[in-house]
């Protein structure tokens, strides 16, 4: 194992306008190309300047950017005016979906509680489902054939999770974003075999937030996750005054939306690696397990105010959520729980693994759109009317609290500084020069309980990355040299690092230490993780 125990010295947007109507993807028409760099974000910025008057199809991003992938930050900035011309929309109206279907809500798994201990039972197993309409795919899920139930955790309770592996190969279950002991975190050190049951036990220390769970074994994370091993976690706290003022009735006014932008061939085989993606002919978008390429899901909001929990469970693609009419949504939470105050936004940008929460007060019907941007060598691209919400509520909700949460911003002047470099050697992905394809080969960051640190996450590649840190949340200190603003001032565990860019993040290591079990830090483009862009984090007492 490569140790890096000595610390080194050392523009994203969540409110964008993206034009475009529903775009169909013809089978076999998408050329292979390099992974996207900052160019993708620049086209979105130019769309932002156009406002909502021209919400037409515009130029298909893939056709334009195919020859621009890999361009660095400076070159793209210099080409800004050209991008504005080539991405101008021509007023074509968004096309209606061919079909409609009722939004499917994942089952709620509340567990069995006795004396403040809640026991959950999960089985990871194989199955089949229709990822493409009319085509049966081999899939996997927790307690079902595809995806898993939503678990509801209660702050302060002790959780016992009895998880049985019926997959026919090793797996783990990682509780993404949860603050739990390293031994219970579900990293690759605790992989367990087919037929075995893993029973992590821990006290829920998280504030109210949206988390999720998925596999995390070495080299198989992408394969297992894209086949359906993913589910949402809602952390509840009955004593939280903000939660009491927000919609909390699951499936009625508190709605989970799990997005998966996948790669599939015509026979329905779900792809997960380079060879598979290059052979894929379709890149469907699924919402709660339903393909929305040609279908707009429907939901009747029986309450005037409805809360939506957004999870990008895609292996690599970026998803931007917006209203088809260009109206605002009220974002109330980022990855790690409530913002300091509610923020009216026109878009919510989610890189792979990220979450957000928003509410809408509706007197009129609203259609939500998902704008998909390829994050890897190939993938989804286009704008989809994925959810038509019918407003039927007659109640008058109280005003949202003026303050959702107190967030004390870090003074990092005396924090320990480190530089974490994301790199590659051809198709091998690296962190601090090491490929984390085994526990012995990956770089290791060593720190101590109570340490306060500021990390510069430097992307030395021209590839898109999504940086995820296990164990503790972090604050964004800078994004490509700019100060964070708006919703970027919330707490995160997963954030975008564009090609040639960097972010500075600050965190404090609290509660848990271990001299055997480690946390992980990695790119949440699952293919990059499997290809080596993962390091370990050891938090010890001293």
């Amino acid at each position: 194992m490569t140790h890096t125990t000595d610390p080194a010295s050392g523009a994203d947007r969540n409110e964008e306008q993206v034009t475009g109507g529903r775009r169909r993807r013809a089978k076999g028409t998408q050329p292979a190309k390099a992974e996207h760099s900052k160019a993708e974000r620049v086209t979105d910025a130019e769309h932002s300047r156009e406002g909502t008057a021209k919400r037409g199809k515009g130029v298909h991003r893939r056709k334009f950017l195919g020859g621009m992938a890999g361009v660095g930050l400076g070159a793209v900035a210099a080409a800004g005016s050209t991008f504005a011309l080539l991405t101008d929309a021509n007023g074509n109206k968004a096309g209606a979906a061919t079909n409609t279907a009722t939004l499917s809500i994942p089952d709620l798994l509340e567990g069995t509680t006795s004396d403040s201990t809640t026991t959950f039972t999960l089985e990871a197993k194989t199955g089949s489902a229709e990822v493409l309409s009319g085509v049966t795919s081999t899939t996997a899920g927790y307690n079902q054939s595809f995806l898993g139930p939503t678990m509801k955790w209660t702050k302060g309770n002790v959780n016992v999770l009895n998880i049985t592996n019926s997959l026919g190969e090793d797996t783990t279950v990682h509780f993404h974003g949860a603050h739990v002991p390293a031994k219970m975190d579900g990293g690759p050190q605790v992989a367990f075999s087919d037929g075995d049951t893993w029973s992590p036990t821990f006290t829920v220390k998280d504030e109210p937030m949206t988390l999720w769970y998925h596999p995390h074994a070495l080299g198989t994370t992408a394969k297992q996750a894209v086949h359906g091993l993913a589910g949402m976690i809602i952390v509840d706290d009955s004593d939280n005054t903000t939660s009491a003022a927000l919609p909390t009735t699951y499936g009625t006014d508190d709605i989970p939306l799990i997005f998966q932008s996948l790669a599939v061939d015509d026979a329905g085989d779900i792809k997960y690696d380079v060879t598979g993606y290059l052979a894929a002919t379709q890149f469907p978008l699924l919402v709660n397990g339903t393909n929305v390429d040609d279908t707009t899901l429907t939901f009747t909001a029986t309450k005037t105010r409805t809360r939506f929990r957004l999870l990008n469970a895609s292996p690599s693609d970026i998803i931007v959520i917006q209203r088809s009419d260009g109206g605002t949504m009220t974002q109330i939470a980022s990855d790690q729980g409530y913002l300091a105050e509610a923020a009216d936004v026109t878009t919510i940008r989610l890189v792979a693994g990220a979450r957000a929460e928003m509410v809408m007060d509706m007197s009129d019907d609203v259609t939500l759109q998902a704008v998909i941007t390829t994050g890897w060598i190939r993938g989804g691209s286009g704008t989809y009317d994925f959810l038509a919400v019918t407003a039927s509520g007659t109640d008058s909700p109280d005003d949202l609290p003026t303050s959702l949460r107190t967030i004390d911003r870090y003074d990092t002047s005396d924090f320990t500084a480190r530089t974490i470099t994301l790199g590659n050697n051809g198709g091998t992905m690296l962190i601090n020069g090491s490929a984390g394809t085994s526990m012995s080969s990956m770089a290791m960051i060593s720190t101590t309980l109570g340490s306060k640190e500021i990390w510069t996450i430097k992307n030395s590649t021209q590839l898109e990355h999504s940086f995820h840190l296990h164990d503790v949340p972090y604050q964004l200190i800078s994004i490509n040299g700019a100060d964070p603003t708006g919703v970027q001032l919330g707490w995160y565990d997963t954030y975008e690092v564009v090609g040639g860019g960097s972010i500075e993040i600050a965190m404090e290591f609290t509660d848990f230490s271990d001299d055997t079990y480690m946390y992980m830090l990695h790119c949440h483009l699952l293919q990059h993780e499997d290809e080596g862009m993962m390091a370990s984090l050891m938090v010890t007492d001293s």
Side-chain angles (χ1 to χ4, degrees), residues 135-445:
V135 179
T136 300
S137 297
T138 298
T139 58
Y142 297 104
N143 293 1
Q144 56 197 42
S145 293
F146 190 65
L147 295 179
T150 297
M151 285 194 286
K152 180 171 279 190
W153 294 358
T154 300
K155 183 182 178 182
N157 275 16
V158 174
N159 277 358
V160 178
L161 290 97
N162 296 317
I163 308 171
T164 300
N165 178 3
S166 300
L167 296 173
E169 62 182 13
D170 289 1
T171 194
T172 71
V173 180
H174 169 52
F175 310 114
H176 183 123
H179 181 48
V180 297
K183 188 177 181 180
M184 310 300 173
D185 185 54
Q189 278 183 292
V190 295
F192 57 106
S193 302
D194 178 58
D196 289 349
T197 297
W198 181 53
S199 298
T201 302
F202 52 84
T203 300
V204 179
K205 291 182 172 290
D206 300 293
E207 297 297 322
M209 65 181 69
T210 300
L211 310 173
W212 66 301
Y213 59 105
H214 62 80
H216 210 309
L218 285 170
T220 60
T221 298
K223 173 187 174 184
Q224 294 183 359
V226 302
H227 281 85
L229 288 171
M232 188 175 282
I233 300 170
I234 294 174
V235 181
D236 190 23
D237 179 5
S238 58
D239 295 328
N240 187 282
T241 56
T242 296
S243 294
L246 289 167
T248 56
T249 304
Y250 183 81
T252 298
D253 59 8
D254 189 351
I255 309 302
L257 295 174
I258 301 174
F259 300 89
Q260 298 167 287
S261 183
L262 303 178
V264 186
D265 66 17
D266 290 347
D269 186 31
I270 303 172
K271 308 299 183 181
Y272 60 90
D273 58 10
V274 172
T275 301
Y277 263 66
L278 295 180
T281 53
Q282 301 191 52
F283 297 88
L285 173 65
L286 278 62
V287 178
N288 291 357
T290 301
N291 186 320
V292 298
D293 281 10
D294 297 303
T295 298
T296 296
L297 303 175
T298 61
F299 174 76
T300 299
T302 58
K303 297 291 186 179
T304 299
R305 178 175 294 157
T306 301
R307 176 184 195 166
F308 295 93
R309 298 176 185 264
L310 313 174
L311 160 62
N312 185 358
S314 305
S316 54
D317 289 347
I318 301 162
I319 298 178
V320 174
I321 306 303
Q322 62 188 26
R323 290 172 53 149
S324 64
D325 60 4
T328 60
M329 304 165 289
T330 302
Q331 186 170 344
I332 58 171
S334 55
D335 286 340
Q336 283 283 313
Y338 296 130
L339 303 171
E341 58 186 20
D344 286 337
V345 299
T346 52
T347 64
I348 299 174
R349 183 181 180 89
L350 301 172
V351 292
R355 291 90 61 214
E357 297 177 33
M358 62 92 164
V359 296
M360 290 192 297
D361 289 358
M362 292 172 292
S363 57
D364 297 309
D365 298 349
V366 173
T367 296
L368 293 177
Q369 293 181 328
V371 183
I372 312 300
T373 305
T374 302
W376 198 42
I377 54 170
R378 300 178 79 200
S381 182
T383 299
Y384 299 89
D385 297 334
F386 72 88
L387 185 63
V389 183
T390 299
S392 67
T394 58
D395 58 314
S396 299
D398 294 336
D399 291 341
L400 288 172
T402 55
S403 174
L404 302 178
R405 178 187 195 180
T406 299
I407 298 179
D408 295 322
R409 296 290 296 173
Y410 285 133
D411 174 1
T412 61
S413 57
D414 61 350
F415 278 34
T416 300
R418 300 181 190 267
T419 297
I420 310 295
T421 301
L422 311 179
N424 72 294
N425 182 6
T428 300
M429 298 293 137
L430 310 171
I431 287 188
N432 287 356
S434 296
T437 53
S438 68
M439 293 303 299
S440 60
S441 67
M442 66 179 63
M444 185 173 76
I445 309 299

Side-chain angles (χ1 to χ4, degrees), residues 6-26:
D6 296 326
S9 300
D12 190 358
R13 297 175 314 283
N14 289 75
E15 302 179 32
E16 339 169 84
Q17 288 286 342
V18 182
T19 62
R22 172 178 289 272
R23 298 181 191 150
R24 300 287 189 265
R25 290 171 289 189

